[in-house]
Amino acid sequence: MTAPLLEARDLHTFYGASHVLHGVSLAVGNGETVTLMGRNGMGKTTTIRSVLGLTTARSGQVLVRGIPVSGWPAHRISRLGIALVPEGRGIFPTLTVREHLVMAARPGQWTLEGALDLFPRLRERLGHLGSQLSGGEQQMLAIARALLTNPELIILDGATEGLAPIARQQIWAALRRLRSEGTAALIVDKEVRQLLELGDRHLILVKGRVAFSGTTAEFRQRAEQNLALLRA
Amino acid sequence: MSLPQGVRAGLLVGAVALALVPLSGDRFWVQFAGKLMITCIYAVSLDLLVGYAGLVSLGHSAFFGLSAYLLAGLANGLGLVSPLATLPLCLAFAGLAALLIGWLSLRATGVYFVMVTLAFGQMLYYLFSESPGLGGSDGVSILQRPRLAVLGRTILDLGDRTAAYAAIWVALVLSFLLLRRVVQAPFGHVLTAIRINEGRMRTLGYGTGRYKLAAFVLGGVLAGLAGYLDATLYGFVNPAQFGWRQSGLVLVTVLLGGKGTLYGPALGAALLSVLEHFAERATEHWSAVVGAAVIAVVLFLPRGVAGLLEGSRG
């Protein structure tokens, strides 16, 4: 059996004395879209940071294509084909759109032209600084930048949070295209309806524990309980 | 990012004006402008570290001094005077020293990095000032300046003030163009991005340590070039070139001119040199005047003098 593209097993992460993740496990297979849901402060970002080596999990294991990567520096994990679109977008204010994209590019299927075709708005803004972009444009740039590293798995933390409705639509459309082209994704967002349409499998985190894990059909079977878990 | 039109024109005018200084025939101004251009090279080399990679080094003078001392050693000890031999050797030596010091000091970050680089500079200062074999605190005179001869005929003698001046001018122009190219290349964007958020660059797959080390080495090589030219122009090296005061002054030059612009530190070097010159003539408390000017710039022009010339970038 082929190992999942990304697998986290029984992660326990602490911030000082505070126990934040209590045995979180997840897996993303090739070409699969997995969503991570939960209210604010439930451990979604910490899960992503722990998976990527940005925060060290005290125990548990992270594997990329079956290779144990726990304790590896973040850049080595990224080089295995995992790209992050961070919460808050992570745009560099003093670099232009073109500089962001050229800097990130690694050889592969995704090229500058391909990224600009995915987000035509960026083509019009190539010479603009990161600080001069709207929130939606910044998110498009963050996704395009991640794609230019030619990842097998893209992780989006807060895919459409804080964006105008039209920008959100464009982001969801781009993510649907990525899915149809076989790029695996782990998506964190609050738009449950969109996540259910897009995702193959879903996880709900409650207080650092996986409270639900299942397919879209399984999510819908116990929709009421799941939505209750997500209500603030 | 391209330079603002006015800045580009100003740089061109400045370069032409500097090229014409020897025509004045005034020895003092030729030496003054020569020293100013060396300080420009030194300052832009530090700007790569401070302004782009975000590495505030107080040990940059180490590479300036090591290169200058090696030139003295090669000329006095081995009688090696050809710049075709001495220049690559001195630059390689400065680069190797930067590789070693950078490799060790880049394990620290923030203020600890500042302290480690300062410690390396001071170690070299005391090593050279307390070793009689290295000239001690008196320093060393260079008996033969770099000279290029073909078939016994001298075609370039850097002991000649005008020839040395021309070499410094060429070195400044080439250093500036090289660094402009470097900071406009993806490598330069990576350095800028590391300065803004190193963790974010790691998630994009960048081993940031290697990039910072590469910048540290390139900056060290160019500081070595400044040291080589300084030793050539003055025919003398001394341990003060390693000291923290020297590193501090060049850092002030970078901040005064405007870090992260390359032309700003060059402008800062020019302004500081001119200010020092006239303040010295006006009052014995000239250093207080210079200090007040630096404080005023830091307080009122946080992006340095270049911030006045540039738009909203930053």
Side-chain angles (χ1 to χ4, degrees):
Chain A
M1 200 175 110
T2 320
L5 189 52
L6 173 71
E7 190 177 4
R9 292 179 188 160
D10 196 25
L11 292 180
H12 288 263
T13 302
F14 290 72
Y15 289 132
S18 174
H19 194 168
V20 180
L21 296 188
H22 301 259
V24 170
S25 298
L26 61 86
V28 184
N30 284 315
E32 192 179 28
T33 296
V34 175
T35 75
L36 191 55
M37 304 183 219
R39 303 198 313 255
N40 286 342
M42 292 295 145
K44 303 183 297 293
T45 297
T46 304
T47 299
I48 288 172
R49 290 184 61 83
S50 302
V51 162
L52 290 174
L54 293 167
T55 297
T56 308
R58 195 171 288 180
S59 66
Q61 224 184 358
V62 178
L63 302 104
V64 177
R65 283 188 230 95
I67 305 166
V69 298
S70 301
W72 284 25
H75 73 274
R76 280 189 69 198
I77 298 174
S78 166
R79 287 265 168 182
L80 291 175
I82 299 177
L84 171 68
V85 178
E87 192 180 25
R89 295 153 207 146
I91 294 304
F92 299 108
T94 57
L95 294 183
T96 65
V97 169
R98 181 186 289 281
E99 287 167 351
H100 274 89
L101 297 176
V102 169
M103 174 184 76
R106 286 206 284 270
Q109 171 203 344
W110 281 99
T111 60
L112 178 62
E113 275 306 306
L116 296 177
D117 285 345
L118 183 66
F119 296 117
R121 184 80 184 124
L122 294 181
R123 195 186 293 281
E124 301 160 23
R125 309 285 265 162
L126 274 176
H128 287 71
L129 297 177
S131 59
Q132 295 169 329
L133 303 179
S134 68
E137 289 166 344
Q138 287 190 353
Q139 186 67 341
M140 289 173 201
L141 177 56
I143 295 173
R145 181 179 64 185
L147 290 175
L148 279 173
T149 66
N150 277 290
E152 288 182 52
L153 168 66
I154 185 167
I155 300 177
L156 294 104
D157 190 1
T160 64
E161 268 180 46
L163 302 185
I166 186 129
R168 288 209 296 267
Q169 283 171 21
Q170 287 171 319
I171 300 292
W172 289 120
L175 294 178
R176 279 194 291 274
R177 191 180 139 190
L178 290 181
R179 183 178 189 269
S180 70
E181 290 176 358
T183 303
L186 175 61
I187 304 173
V188 173
D189 203 74
K190 294 255 168 65
E191 286 202 49
V192 177
R193 196 174 54 82
Q194 293 283 1
L195 291 175
L196 291 177
E197 275 179 26
L198 191 65
D200 298 299
R201 288 188 305 106
H202 314 276
L203 285 91
I204 299 176
L205 286 186
V206 176
K207 294 184 181 172
R209 290 184 171 85
V210 178
F212 169 81
S213 173
T215 62
T216 304
E218 287 164 344
F219 187 102
R220 291 192 198 282
Q221 274 170 19
R222 39 165 288 168
E224 216 162 289
Q225 297 100 307
N226 284 340
L227 292 174
L229 294 174
L230 297 171
R231 259 178 232 128
Chain B
M1 191 81 171
S2 56
L3 289 171
Q5 203 76 33
V7 171
R8 198 179 300 193
L11 286 173
L12 201 61
V13 169
V16 171
L18 284 168
L20 297 176
V21 169
L23 296 180
S24 72
D26 187 320
R27 278 184 58 164
F28 171 78
W29 285 112
V30 172
Q31 179 120 342
F32 180 86
K35 177 67 181 172
L36 188 157
M37 289 192 292
I38 289 169
T39 310
C40 286
I41 297 173
Y42 198 11
V44 294
S45 74
L46 184 63
D47 193 29
L48 179 68
L49 303 190
V50 177
Y52 290 88
L55 299 170
V56 179
S57 170
L58 273 180
H60 207 53
S61 59
F63 316 117
F64 184 100
L66 284 172
S67 175
Y69 263 87
L70 183 63
L71 176 65
L74 292 171
N76 296 356
L78 301 177
L80 198 57
V81 293
S82 168
L84 296 180
T86 55
L87 181 61
L89 282 171
C90 289
L91 298 192
F93 187 51
L96 276 174
L99 185 66
L100 179 65
I101 292 175
W103 184 68
L104 291 167
S105 50
L106 283 168
R107 284 150 201 273
T109 55
V111 73
Y112 300 102
F113 173 79
V114 177
M115 298 315 290
V116 174
T117 53
L118 174 65
F120 275 112
Q122 288 302 97
M123 272 165 54
L124 287 167
Y125 169 76
Y126 285 112
L127 174 70
F128 278 78
S129 63
E130 290 176 9
S131 302
L134 296 169
S137 57
D138 291 337
V140 179
S141 289
I142 298 171
L143 304 177
Q144 300 182 79
R145 311 280 179 95
R147 189 175 68 244
L148 184 62
V150 176
L151 300 171
R153 189 164 164 232
T154 299
I155 57 169
L156 176 68
D157 182 4
L158 294 181
D160 174 71
R161 203 171 297 272
T162 308
Y165 186 91
I168 294 167
W169 187 88
V170 170
L172 172 60
V173 171
L174 292 181
S175 300
F176 188 82
L177 293 177
L178 169 74
L179 284 180
R180 276 292 298 170
R181 192 74 191 254
V182 166
V183 300
Q184 286 180 317
F187 174 76
H189 306 325
V190 172
L191 290 183
T192 301
I194 288 172
R195 186 192 76 232
I196 297 170
N197 191 329
E198 189 168 350
R200 201 177 295 158
M201 288 307 287
R202 289 204 196 102
T203 64
L204 283 172
Y206 285 96
T208 53
R210 274 178 291 171
Y211 283 85
K212 290 196 288 187
L213 184 58
F216 197 84
V217 170
L218 180 56
V221 168
L222 289 175
L225 174 64
Y228 179 94
L229 294 169
D230 192 78
T232 298
L233 183 67
Y234 289 100
F236 180 73
V237 294
N238 72 83
Q241 290 170 333
F242 290 107
W244 67 268
R245 188 176 178 274
Q246 180 91 347
S247 289
L249 263 178
V250 74
L251 183 59
V252 165
T253 303
V254 171
L255 299 179
L256 181 77
K259 66 184 168 70
T261 57
L262 292 184
Y263 72 86
L267 196 62
L271 287 174
L272 208 56
S273 301
V274 170
L275 183 64
E276 262 184 25
H277 173 72
F278 287 106
E280 259 178 340
R281 287 177 151 199
T283 168
E284 62 182 287
H285 303 296
W286 62 271
S287 53
V289 174
V290 173
V294 170
I295 290 170
V297 169
V298 170
L299 287 179
F300 300 112
L301 299 172
R303 288 168 59 207
V305 178
L308 281 178
L309 309 173
E310 220 165 300
S312 60
R313 184 165 181 151

